[in-house]
Amino acid sequence: MAKLVEKTSRYARSDAAFARARKLMPGGVNSPVRAYRAVGRDPVTITHGKGAIVTDVDGNDYVDYVGSYGPLILGHAPEAVAAALTKTIDKGWTFGMPTELETQLAELVIELVPSVEVVRFVNSGTEAAMSAIRLARAATGRGKIIKCTGCYHGHTDALLVQAGSGATTLGTPSSPGVPASLTADTLLVPYNDLDAVRAAMQAHAGDIACMAVEPVAGNMGCVPPAEGYLQGLRDLCDEFGVLLLFDEVMTGFRVNLGGAQKLYGVTPDLTCLGKVVGGGLPCAAYGGREDLMRQVSPDGPVYQAGTLSGNPLAMAAGLATLQVLRDTDAYLSLELTACDLATGLRTAAAQAGVPVQVTRVGSMLGVFFADAPVRNYEQALTCRADRFAAFFNAMLDEGVMLAPSAFEAWFVSTAHDAACLETTLAAAEKAFAAAGTIR
Ligand SMILES: *Cc1c(COP(=O)(O)O)cnc(C)c1O
C-alpha cells in the first residue's frame, strides 16, 4: 500500500497538468505518440531540459533518449545553440525578406550533404517530403510514387499509407479523411526488398516519378538497410528513369555528418532534411540536383512557399548545431556512447532471459522485443508491444525517458556521458526483468 501511494505521488503534478491539457487538445497533445496510449499511462509534463536530462513538473529527472524525436543531437539547450539564439533574437525573428543566415546555412548544408547542390528551407519534415514529391512529379511528368511500408515521410495525404510509428502505435495504418484518390498513385513495397521494387517498376514502367525511402528506416524502430539495398535502389531508379528520393529527415546529420547517403556511399537525386538541420527549432529542407531544384518557384514553375520558411531563429539554431558537428569529434563520441549503450542493453536483456534485437546505426538505436532480426515493417510488427510497455514503464520509474512506442528509435546525444549510461543500464536490468514477467 505504501508503495502504491509513493508511486502515485511521483507523477501527481504531471497527472494534474495532463488532466487540464486533455480537455483542451485532442488527446491532450499536439502530436499523437506523445499521449503515451501505447504504454498504458498518461505522459509526464516537462518543465526543462539540460544536456541529456529532462525534468518533469514533479521534479523527477530522466536520462532522455527521445531527444525531441531526433533533432537534439547535442542534447538539451547546448551552449553554442543557446548563444546563437540569444544573439539572433535581439534582432527580430522574422522578416519575410532574405537574411544572411539563410545563405550561411544553405552553404553549409550543400557543403556537407553529397546530393544537395541547391536547397530550399521549409518548416517541417512533412512539408519537405510533400514538396520534394511535387517536384519529382513535375520534373518527370509522371504521377506514381513508390514508398516502403513502415517508412514515414510526414502526414501529407499521399504519403500517409502504412506509415510507421505514430500510425502503427495507434493501430491506424492510414487515416480517415484521406480520399482513396489521393493515395491511388502511391505504390507500397516492403523495406529491404529489391525484387518488389523491380516488380513495381516493371508493372508501372513510365509512370513512376520517384522512389521515396528512409535510407535507414527510423520510424518502425531502427532498421538498417540490408547490404546492397540502397545501391540496388539507385541502379533500379537509373534503369527505369525514376528519381531516387532519400528522406533523411531523421538520418541527416544524425548517422553521419553527410547523412546516410555519405555513410553508405549512395547518392540520391533528391534529399529531404529535417530534425537536426534546425537544431531543435521548426526547420526542414529539401534539395538535390541543380537541374531539378531550379524547377522550384520562382526559378521554375513548381510552386512551394512558406511565411516562416528560413526564419532567422531556425537558421541560427541549425547553423550553430551543424558547426559544432563539423568542428568537433561529435560523431566519434556519439559512436562510442551508442555502441556501449547497445552492447549494455543486449547484455542486460540476455541476463534477464528476454529475447531482444538491438539495432544501431551511429547514434540511432532500435530495441525490438522480438526473437529474430527485424528487416522490415512486417517483422517489426511481430515484436512484443506488451513487453515493451512493461519495459517502458519500468524505465520511466527508474528515471530513463524513452519514446512511448515500440516502433520509435532511441537517440543518443553528445551530452550522454558515462553516468547517463550507468543509470540507463542499471534501470534496464530491472526493466528487462519486468518485461520478462509478461508471458
Ligand atoms: C520526422 C520525420 C518526418 C516528418 O517530419 P515533421 O517535422 O515531423 O513533419 C518525415 N520523414 C522522416 C523520415 C521523419 O523521421
Side-chain angles (χ1 to χ4, degrees), residues 31 68-69 71 123-129 151-155 165 213-219 246-251 272-275 282-284 408 411:
S31 196
S68 193
Y69 290 84
N123 303 292
S124 71
T126 295
E127 224 186 304
C151 281
Y152 180 61
H153 305 295
H155 61 88
S165 50
V213 70
E214 290 180 67
V216 176
N219 285 283
F246 276 5
D247 182 346
E248 296 227 41
V249 170
M250 189 182 287
T251 55
C272 296
L273 299 165
K275 301 194 169 119
C283 174
E408 296 288 352
F411 298 104

